[in-house]
Each structure stands twice: as structure tokens, then as C-alpha cells.
Amino acid sequence: MKKRLFIKSCLVASVALFAASCSDDTTLGSIDDAGRLDVPEGAVVYVTDAAGSRGSSKVEFHNAETNALHVKTGVALPADCKVTFAYNADALTAYNTANGTDYALLPQSMVAFANDGVVTLPAGQTAVDAEYTLTSDGSLDPETTYALPLSVTIEGAAALGEADKNFVVLVRDLSSYGDCHKTWVDDNGVEHEGIKIFSVMEVNDTNPLNNLRYTLKNSGKYMVDALVMFSGNINYNAETGRVYFYPNENISAILNNREKYLKPLKDRGMKVIMGVMCNHDRACISNLAPETAKLFAKELKALCDAYDLDGIFWDDEYCNPITPAPPGFEQRSRLAWSRLAYEVWKLQPERWNIAYGYSMTGSAVAVEGVQPGTFISYCLPDYSSYYEDSWLDSYPGMTISQLGGASMQFAQGSWAASENTLRQGRNAGYGAHMVFAMDPYRTTSYGQDQAMDKLARAFYNDEVVVDPTTYPKDWK
């Protein structure tokens, strides 16, 4: 980011990055020799989760969460068909025996199916959802996986696939870990959504687990809402003529050990965001031609899918464009950067696009009639000691709840905004705040703790609790 010393890193092939994705991904189903998903055909009903897994699924949740199982058939039915889901401990016995496992039962009181587990697959249609809600009772160990065993029965104009008569949902209740969903109450007793704190962390030398150190005294909530790994790069391969995502050795080490460095954050409700920044070659966030932007957007989606990331943080610095622009590129512009963010949003609208308010990413324009406020989730302005609602003019369609202000630079000991200024920003409806380069091993670490306490008081009417446990960089 501005004023920092850029650390140039050795090249790590992106193909190796994707090959090393996490080992506990949910199985999507069996594949036959022709590469087809093995599902029944004809007037046969089968059951999957959102990822396409038959027979079992994996769910992790905090407090309460609604999910769905998908009832499907290969052809539209000639008449209505009723499918019923019911809690059945015998289904777990069969599952444990078949798989050599020893999962314990999830208490039946923790699950509730909509319409008592009965769904109707109407004539002429091929799919319907069966929604169920998991609600924590506070008794379960978050380190243990429990099983929700279900029997599935059918009535009507179709048969049920043999493999679909039982379904087991493997559940982890993470509620006792706590979470980072914060609120505050105004003088009239009205509760408001809390400002989200984005920890943009220099992961070249800082362990992401340090984001767990700050909690609130009264609510027990974690202060950090999202880790931004700063930073991966957009690079150009002169041999292939392609733009690609480049993770340096530190980013790669964290991603390839996500269970150790990232999963504990995710378990507590924190988002994990990948930073993307230019890297001193012709590829910039703000100069990709339309087709190049589409290809790079696909690569970023593959990255997010492989490592369960929650979005992209855009920083248009350290680029070295060629003039005139060669094939696949164009001159740097607000439109080009906006188009790239838009293409990423189209592929994964459920994930966040976060703009660092500096250089070309300091504003955005509409793409294909879609305003930036739709495809940019948050804008985190460059460092200052105040709030500026003029940023809303730079991102048409953005609301003040998507905007940050008074960002803090911990590497340089810059957290100048007063507690009163921060509180005024909260009261005005600002929804985000950036702290850069949090690290307990910096000489400014004591000041960082004080700055986080100031945020706790100003944003949440609370006090900070600092866990004395620190996490050094322990990868090579």
C-alpha cells in the first residue's frame, strides 16, 4: 500500500497453488468413465446438497443457520410427488457401519425441517428444496463432528434412488468459539449493526492467527471481521502471453496450510479475503482488455473456490503498463478496473469485492448498466483522521454503510483519528474501518493495542481485551 516497502518475491507456479487445495473438500458424487456425475435417470428422485453430494453432506454453523437439501429428478414428473425427511438414528448406524466411522448423534432438538420435512415435487418440474434449520443448544464441542441422520421416503409418481433412502449431514456447531457479529445501542435504546473492521495484514511476515487476539470485554465478540491477505499479485507471463494470479511463497504457505492459519478465523465467523495488487510488470488491475479481464476473473474464482476465500481486495499500485497498450491490454482507466471487478462479481456475487480507495481504485464507473455500488461491496479509503462522504460520489450507487474512513496504518504508528471522530463516523452510518499491518512483534505493538481499544469504545461502547498469546511467523 502507499508508503510501504514492496517486497518482491520469487515466482511460484499458480498451477501448484490450485493442486494443493484443502484435503477435506466434500465429495461431489461418483463419476463414471465418461466423466458424468452418477445420478439416476428417468422418473427417479434423488437427493443432494448444494455441492451435488449424495448420501452425505458437511455443515458448519454458528448459533442458528438454515440450509437446504435438494430433491431432484432427471425428467419432469407426470404428477405430484411427496418426499418426506425424518430424523432416524438407524440411518447413522448404517452410515457408521458402511464407512468405518464413529460419529455421535446430533440431538434431534437442534434440527427443525420446514413443513415438518415434507416437500412436494410438482408435476412438470424437476427440483424442489427441503429447508432445515440448525439451532445450537450450547452443549456441543466445536472440535467434534456430529451426525444428523435422516431417512427419506417418497409417495407419488416416482421411485426413490436406492442410495437416497438415507442422508447423513455431518455437523460442527462452532457457536462456543464465539463470533465477530457486533452491534451497538444508541441513546434511544435502538440496536444498530456494528462497523466491520478489516485487518489488511502484511502476511509476508505476520501470522494471520494474530487477528484472534482482540475481543470485546462485555460482548465477547471478536473485533476483526475480515482478514485481507496483503498481498497476492496480478502478473504477466511473457512466454504464454497470459495474465495470471501470482502468490508469493508466503501467500502460498498460508493457503496450502489453510487448516492451520485460516480455518480458525473462519470458524469464528471472520471473512478471509485475498489481496490482489500489481507487481511491476505490464499487467495492472486497471488496464486489462475485456476478454483478458474475463479470463483473469475466472482464475480468481477458481482460487476462491479452492481455498474457501470470501472475496478480493483490489489495490492498483506498483504497475508498469506499456504504451501504446499491446494486445490483451488497454490504457489504464477507471472503466478497465471497474470492468475487472464487475466480471469477478458476475462469477461470484456472494463474495466481497473490496476497493482500496487510492489511485485508480479510488473511484469506479458503471459497467453494462450496473452501478459500482452493486458490484463493489466496500470501499476502504486511504489513511486519514476523518470521514469523507464525498467518496460516495466516487462509487455511484454505494451507500454510506459500504464506506470506511479514518483508516489506520499500524506499521507507521498512524492512528490519528480521535475517539470522538470515530464515534461520529459510526453515528453517521459508516460501515467499515481498515487497520493496516497489525503485528504484535512490531515496535508499535503497544500503540496498536491502544488503537484497538479506541475502536472498541467508539464503535461498540465496549472495551478491548487483548489475549497475551502471540503467533510468530512459523513457516519458511
Side-chain angles (χ1 to χ4, degrees):
M1 305 181 80
K2 193 171 69 171
K3 303 175 184 175
R4 68 178 285 273
L5 176 63
F6 181 80
I7 301 175
K8 188 173 178 63
S9 308
C10 64
L11 181 63
V12 178
S14 59
V15 64
L17 172 74
F18 297 118
S21 60
C22 56
S23 60
D24 61 344
D25 290 342
T26 300
T27 301
L28 300 184
S30 60
I31 304 295
D32 66 16
D33 291 339
R36 296 184 296 266
L37 187 65
D38 180 18
V39 297
E41 297 180 358
V44 178
V45 169
Y46 61 101
V47 180
T48 78
D49 67 1
S53 177
R54 291 175 64 201
S56 66
S57 180
K58 294 181 181 179
V59 171
E60 296 179 347
F61 77 104
H62 285 87
N63 304 320
E65 181 177 300
T66 298
N67 293 284
L69 295 174
H70 308 296
V71 178
K72 303 177 181 180
T73 184
V75 296
L77 302 181
D80 289 356
C81 181
K82 184 172 75 172
V83 178
T84 301
F85 293 84
Y87 185 96
N88 184 353
D90 291 340
L92 178 57
T93 301
Y95 183 89
N96 279 335
T97 299
N99 294 278
T101 52
D102 188 28
Y103 291 114
L105 275 168
L106 182 81
Q108 186 172 359
S109 59
M110 288 180 59
V111 60
F113 268 89
N115 197 36
D116 294 325
V118 178
V119 294
T120 298
L121 184 56
Q125 297 188 22
T126 59
V128 67
D129 286 351
E131 290 191 346
Y132 65 96
T133 299
L134 297 170
T135 304
S136 176
D137 64 6
S139 67
L140 301 187
D141 178 3
E143 298 291 335
T144 300
T145 299
Y146 299 83
L148 165 60
L150 303 170
S151 62
V152 188
T153 56
I154 191 167
E155 299 176 37
L160 188 66
E162 188 64 30
D164 302 283
K165 293 181 179 179
N166 291 329
F167 199 101
V168 173
V169 183
L170 302 176
V171 177
R172 284 183 66 203
D173 178 3
L174 307 178
S175 304
S176 62
Y177 276 148
D179 60 47
C180 53
H181 179 242
K182 298 174 290 294
T183 60
W184 63 280
V185 178
D186 66 23
D187 293 339
N188 297 316
V190 178
E191 188 174 32
H192 301 267
E193 191 74 13
I195 285 179
K196 288 181 171 56
I197 295 180
F198 290 81
S199 172
V200 183
M201 180 169 276
E202 285 267 27
V203 293
N204 280 331
D205 51 17
T206 307
N207 191 321
L209 295 175
N210 286 296
N211 288 286
L212 300 174
R213 299 182 64 238
Y214 296 101
T215 55
L216 295 176
K217 179 178 179 180
N218 296 323
S219 71
K221 301 289 187 176
Y222 288 91
M223 284 193 66
V224 172
D225 293 271
L227 159 70
V228 176
M229 289 183 283
F230 192 77
S231 181
N233 297 108
I234 178 173
N235 268 35
Y236 175 72
N237 187 320
E239 293 183 1
T240 64
R242 293 180 67 101
V243 168
Y244 65 100
F245 174 77
Y246 165 48
N248 69 22
E249 65 274 16
N250 296 294
I251 294 284
S252 294
I254 293 169
L255 290 178
N256 293 330
N257 293 279
R258 67 174 296 278
E259 291 293 318
K260 178 178 180 179
Y261 298 114
L262 302 180
K263 188 66 164 54
L265 277 60
K266 299 273 291 185
D267 285 349
R268 289 151 179 84
M270 296 182 194
K271 301 285 189 181
V272 176
I273 311 294
M274 177 56 68
V276 178
M277 183 174 64
C278 313
N279 197 12
H280 301 279
D281 69 18
R282 71 177 66 180
C284 304
I285 288 168
S286 58
N287 75 340
L288 303 186
E291 288 305 313
T292 309
K294 289 179 180 179
L295 290 173
F296 189 56
K298 290 180 180 178
E299 183 166 345
L300 292 181
K301 182 182 186 308
L303 173 79
C304 291
D305 288 346
Y307 294 101
D308 190 25
L309 304 179
D310 297 296
I312 302 296
F313 173 89
W314 303 98
D315 183 1
D316 190 46
E317 298 183 82
Y318 306 107
C319 56
N320 188 23
I322 293 176
T323 303
F329 299 88
E330 55 188 45
Q331 295 303 309
R332 291 180 72 205
S333 69
R334 308 287 185 192
L335 175 58
W337 120 251
S338 301
R339 185 192 303 118
L340 176 57
Y342 171 75
E343 294 294 347
V344 170
W345 170 78
K346 281 202 305 182
L347 292 177
Q348 46 185 30
E350 75 284 2
R351 290 177 169 132
W352 287 353
N353 264 335
I354 303 165
Y356 172 44
Y358 177 71
S359 186
M360 281 293 178
T361 51
S363 64
V365 298
V367 182
E368 297 181 1
V370 180
Q371 295 280 29
T374 297
F375 60 83
I376 301 293
S377 308
Y378 293 94
C379 171
L380 304 178
D382 193 31
Y383 312 112
S384 67
S385 59
Y386 48 88
Y387 291 86
E388 297 177 85
D389 59 11
S390 61
W391 281 98
L392 296 177
D393 297 330
S394 299
Y395 289 87
M398 183 173 282
T399 65
I400 200 167
S401 64
Q402 296 170 265
L403 185 59
S407 300
M408 295 181 175
Q409 223 284 23
F410 283 174
Q412 298 179 357
S414 175
W415 39 82
S418 68
E419 185 176 323
N420 186 56
T421 296
L422 294 166
R423 186 173 291 108
Q424 289 175 349
R426 178 201 67 178
N427 294 344
Y430 286 82
H433 183 85
M434 177 178 71
V435 297
F436 178 68
M438 176 194 294
D439 187 338
Y441 297 98
R442 293 188 190 278
T443 57
T444 58
S445 62
Y446 178 67
Q448 294 174 40
D449 295 348
Q450 291 180 315
M452 294 297 283
D453 188 58
K454 184 164 59 174
L455 295 180
R457 294 174 185 276
F459 290 165
Y460 317 115
N461 302 328
D462 212 327
E463 298 176 36
V464 75
V465 175
V466 184
D467 189 331
T469 303
T470 59
Y471 302 90
K473 176 182 175 180
D474 60 358
W475 63 87
K476 296 181 180 180

